[in-house]
Amino acid sequence: MANDDARHAALMQIIQNGYSSSAIEDTYFNLMDYETFTGLPRNDASGSEPAYLSASDLSKQYLETLVTPAIPGIAIASLLFIVCFLVVFLRVCTKCCAMCCPGSCWDEKCFRPKEYTSRQLKITKWAMLVFCIIGGIGCVLVFSQGTEVSKGVTDFGDELVNTTKSLEVIINDWYAALVQASQEGSEDLADLQSSSVDISSSVVDLNDQIKGVAEKIELSFMVVAAIVFIVAIIATGLVCLGWSTMLMLFFFTLSLVMIVCWIVFGALGTMGTLIDDIALGFDAFAMDANIQNAFPTGSSLCPSRYNSASSVNEDLRSTYYDIINEIQPKAADPAICPTCSPVSQIYNKVSVDDYCNWYKSQNDKSDLYYADPVCRNHYLDVQKYGGWAYIPKTVDTGKIDPTAGGGQYTKCDFTTAQIAGGATCGQNQVASDAYDDFVALFNNLGYVLAVEDSVGQLITCDFVQSETAEITSTLHTVVDALKVLWGGFLMLGMSYFVMWVILLVAISRIANPQLNVDSGEYDPQWAEKLSMPRR
């Protein structure tokens, strides 16, 4: 696969540079190489963009950059709050000052109702209706995408559980295979098993919490969409019906909803950026399992290279090697199997340095699953595996391949005592009283061989990579839904702002029918009368 080719090429470069090159290091995930969810820059508290940024451990610097996506929404909400306050304040001041000081600037120029026509009033009502419909479309988007976000978050939690459960099964099967083979697992494998159980338990608990949050997310957006739509409908209905007194009450309600919409718009920018950054990390991990700082957690989803290197040697290849070494003298013992072909070893036992040099000379990725963690740990990590490594070898000519199983041998009709007394057996026939124990050794080897593929996927993190493909898919579903949701609140914020402006105009006109030049109530002196002091 192309991914294996890239991993092999990177490993070859590491081995060729050995300990001497500081340029050959693990790749670090950098969010600065990617565009943000909102398209805004990733500024930290200093107001500048850092050269390197990752979500690892949700560092202080990263959390600072999450403020930027919220700034537009919060700034607009703050500005609108000030505008709403000033509108109310200036209207009150204008009314008071005009009554106290008729003919003043406040009286003649500030907030004095203007004459209008019936056509202008109809346009006001139709404009209110149009933007109410636009707001309704935004509400539909909020409702539908809120459900999608909830579903995506739930699926994300379920995929995490499935991944950790599968990981736990692989390690448990590995441990069980060693028990069946009458071998003892190393402390590192025991640590892996214990860690997988703890991780699985934690993820199950996390998933329960995620599902609870997902249900609240869905309910929250459902309630918000309903409230926003109802307020818009009532405000539009009051404008169309011309109920000016009720409109004054809904002016404050509409103002509050408008401000909340912009606040949520800003919050969604931050939330979307965070989840999008996590999805980007998973995407990068899918391309390179050795990439560092790709996740919000401080550690990788993969087992540490030291544990991988130690476990694959002490709990896999050394097991093969030791079992075959136990088989070989029995197959060569004439008292047990007088005419047996010798059994070939399938590994050469060497130092890790010799193994990595051998891999470099072969330049063949057939042993990549083993070489990748072992040699990367040897050259890049501070904590290095210091035991034996095992070079795979071809089966010697004329010798038995032990991986083919004990079926290559048959039971002789004679016991070891009878063979010692001169009885003869056929080719590759084992004394009847030693046959079961002899074949059991091949069975032990088979138990361990059965888990080799899954173990290989585990220690190279191929398994986690393939599993996270589903996780990445659910994250992108959430991100896509959040983008639509973000756009929905942008639509709501803009439509509510326009409706708020229209409402101000509508209140001024509906409350003063005497200024309608097409009405029988028209009074050209009405504006002046409004500001006259009461007697």
Side-chain angles (χ1 to χ4, degrees), residues 412-423:
C412 182
D413 293 333
F414 304 105
T415 64
T416 52
Q418 290 172 319
I419 292 173

Side-chain angles (χ1 to χ4, degrees), residues 275-507:
I275 296 179
D276 187 45
D277 289 347
I278 294 174
L280 290 172
F282 274 94
D283 286 339
F285 175 76
M287 298 299 295
D288 180 8
N290 292 299
I291 198 166
Q292 303 295 308
N293 294 350
F295 305 108
T297 56
S299 58
S300 171
L301 296 180
C302 301
S304 73
R305 282 194 296 255
Y306 171 78
N307 279 339
S308 294
S310 175
S311 297
V312 76
N313 280 299
E314 296 180 10
D315 299 300
L316 195 69
R317 292 207 168 178
S318 68
T319 304
Y320 297 156
Y321 189 83
D322 292 343
I323 292 175
I324 294 172
N325 277 352
E326 192 175 352
I327 292 173
Q328 284 177 324
K330 293 183 180 298
D333 187 349
I336 296 175
C337 190
T339 58
C340 283
S341 300
V343 175
S344 175
Q345 181 57 262
I346 60 174
Y347 291 110
N348 288 326
K349 189 176 183 179
V350 297
S351 67
V352 175
D353 200 55
D354 286 342
Y355 172 82
C356 294
N357 286 327
W358 169 84
Y359 187 86
K360 179 177 68 173
S361 66
Q362 295 295 308
N363 193 17
D364 178 10
K365 65 176 185 290
S366 60
D367 204 36
L368 179 62
Y369 92 88
Y370 174 83
D372 194 59
V374 171
C375 293
R376 281 181 180 269
N377 169 255
H378 185 60
Y379 289 113
L380 298 180
D381 296 340
V382 175
Q383 185 182 17
K384 302 180 187 296
Y385 167 69
W388 295 105
Y390 299 85
I391 296 176
K393 61 184 293 291
T394 57
V395 176
D396 297 327
T397 305
K399 292 187 178 181
I400 293 290
D401 179 4
T403 63
Q408 301 170 93
Y409 296 89
T410 57
K411 182 186 290 188
C412 182
D413 293 333
F414 304 105
T415 64
T416 52
Q418 290 172 319
I419 292 173
T424 59
C425 296
Q427 182 68 30
N428 292 337
Q429 286 193 331
V430 181
S432 59
D433 56 339
Y435 179 78
D436 290 342
D437 292 338
F438 185 75
V439 171
L441 292 174
F442 284 92
N443 291 338
N444 290 344
L445 185 62
Y447 296 143
V448 185
L449 284 170
V451 299
E452 182 173 20
D453 288 343
S454 58
V455 169
Q457 291 181 345
L458 172 66
I459 63 174
T460 56
C461 221
D462 281 346
F463 162 76
V464 181
Q465 275 187 293
S466 61
E467 289 290 322
T468 52
E470 295 295 329
I471 296 176
T472 304
S473 176
T474 60
L475 281 176
H476 282 298
T477 299
V478 174
V479 171
D480 291 341
L482 282 172
K483 286 181 178 178
V484 178
L485 196 59
W486 190 58
F489 271 97
L490 176 62
M491 183 182 295
L492 284 176
M494 295 179 68
S495 62
Y496 258 73
F497 173 71
V498 176
M499 283 195 293
W500 179 79
V501 173
I502 295 172
L503 193 64
L504 286 176
V505 176
I507 290 173

Side-chain angles (χ1 to χ4, degrees), residues 7 13 22 150 244 271 305 312 388 439 474 481 501 528 534:
R7 182 179 293 180
Q13 190 177 8
S22 60
S150 174
S244 60
M271 183 188 301
R305 282 194 296 255
V312 76
W388 295 105
V439 171
T474 60
V501 173
E528 285 75 10
R534 296 183 179 181

Side-chain angles (χ1 to χ4, degrees), residues 96-403:
C96 294
C97 292
M99 293 179 68
C100 296
C101 307
S104 65
C105 175
W106 286 93
D107 176 29
E108 296 182 354
K109 296 184 179 180
C110 296
F111 289 101
R112 173 174 287 194
K114 303 295 182 183
E115 293 180 347
Y116 63 94
T117 64
S118 296
R119 182 174 179 273
Q120 289 175 325
L121 181 60
K122 287 180 180 179
I123 291 174
T124 301
K125 293 180 178 181
W126 275 108
M128 191 72 174
L129 180 61
V130 168
F131 282 96
C132 176
I133 293 172
I134 294 174
I137 295 172
C139 290
V140 172
L141 291 177
V142 169
F143 175 78
S144 62
Q145 297 308 308
T147 302
E148 285 298 313
V149 170
S150 174
K151 181 178 181 299
V153 170
T154 301
D155 291 344
F156 172 70
D158 290 339
E159 290 297 337
L160 277 180
V161 170
N162 292 338
T163 299
T164 55
K165 285 292 184 183
S166 299
L167 179 65
E168 184 181 355
V169 168
I170 289 175
I171 296 176
N172 287 342
D173 287 348
W174 187 2
Y175 204 88
L178 292 176
V179 172
Q180 282 184 297
S182 303
Q183 304 288 319
E184 292 186 4
S186 68
E187 292 183 3
D188 292 311
L189 182 58
D191 289 342
L192 275 178
Q193 186 183 37
S194 176
S195 297
S196 69
V197 172
D198 292 341
I199 292 173
S200 181
S201 176
S202 299
V203 169
V204 169
D205 292 339
L206 176 63
N207 188 39
D208 291 337
Q209 297 175 16
I210 287 175
K211 288 185 176 180
V213 171
E215 291 175 358
K216 292 177 181 177
I217 289 174
E218 184 174 6
L219 179 61
S220 298
F221 283 118
M222 187 185 302
V223 171
V224 167
I227 291 175
V228 170
F229 187 62
I230 289 171
V231 169
I233 287 291
I234 293 177
T236 302
L238 292 176
V239 168
C240 294
L241 293 172
W243 293 359
S244 60
T245 304
M246 292 295 295
L247 279 176
M248 288 301 299
L249 296 175
F250 264 83
F251 167 78
F252 296 102
T253 305
L254 198 71
S255 301
L256 177 62
V257 173
M258 174 182 64
I259 292 170
V260 169
C261 284
W262 284 108
I263 292 174
V264 175
F265 172 75
L268 284 174
T270 293
M271 183 188 301
T273 300
L274 173 62
I275 296 179
D276 187 45
D277 289 347
I278 294 174
L280 290 172
F282 274 94
D283 286 339
F285 175 76
M287 298 299 295
D288 180 8
N290 292 299
I291 198 166
Q292 303 295 308
N293 294 350
F295 305 108
T297 56
S299 58
S300 171
L301 296 180
C302 301
S304 73
R305 282 194 296 255
Y306 171 78
N307 279 339
S308 294
S310 175
S311 297
V312 76
N313 280 299
E314 296 180 10
D315 299 300
L316 195 69
R317 292 207 168 178
S318 68
T319 304
Y320 297 156
Y321 189 83
D322 292 343
I323 292 175
I324 294 172
N325 277 352
E326 192 175 352
I327 292 173
Q328 284 177 324
K330 293 183 180 298
D333 187 349
I336 296 175
C337 190
T339 58
C340 283
S341 300
V343 175
S344 175
Q345 181 57 262
I346 60 174
Y347 291 110
N348 288 326
K349 189 176 183 179
V350 297
S351 67
V352 175
D353 200 55
D354 286 342
Y355 172 82
C356 294
N357 286 327
W358 169 84
Y359 187 86
K360 179 177 68 173
S361 66
Q362 295 295 308
N363 193 17
D364 178 10
K365 65 176 185 290
S366 60
D367 204 36
L368 179 62
Y369 92 88
Y370 174 83
D372 194 59
V374 171
C375 293
R376 281 181 180 269
N377 169 255
H378 185 60
Y379 289 113
L380 298 180
D381 296 340
V382 175
Q383 185 182 17
K384 302 180 187 296
Y385 167 69
W388 295 105
Y390 299 85
I391 296 176
K393 61 184 293 291
T394 57
V395 176
D396 297 327
T397 305
K399 292 187 178 181
I400 293 290
D401 179 4
T403 63

Side-chain angles (χ1 to χ4, degrees), residues 11-22:
L11 181 60
M12 287 296 295
Q13 190 177 8
I14 291 171
I15 297 174
Q16 287 165 2
N17 284 271
Y19 303 100
S20 60
S21 175
S22 60

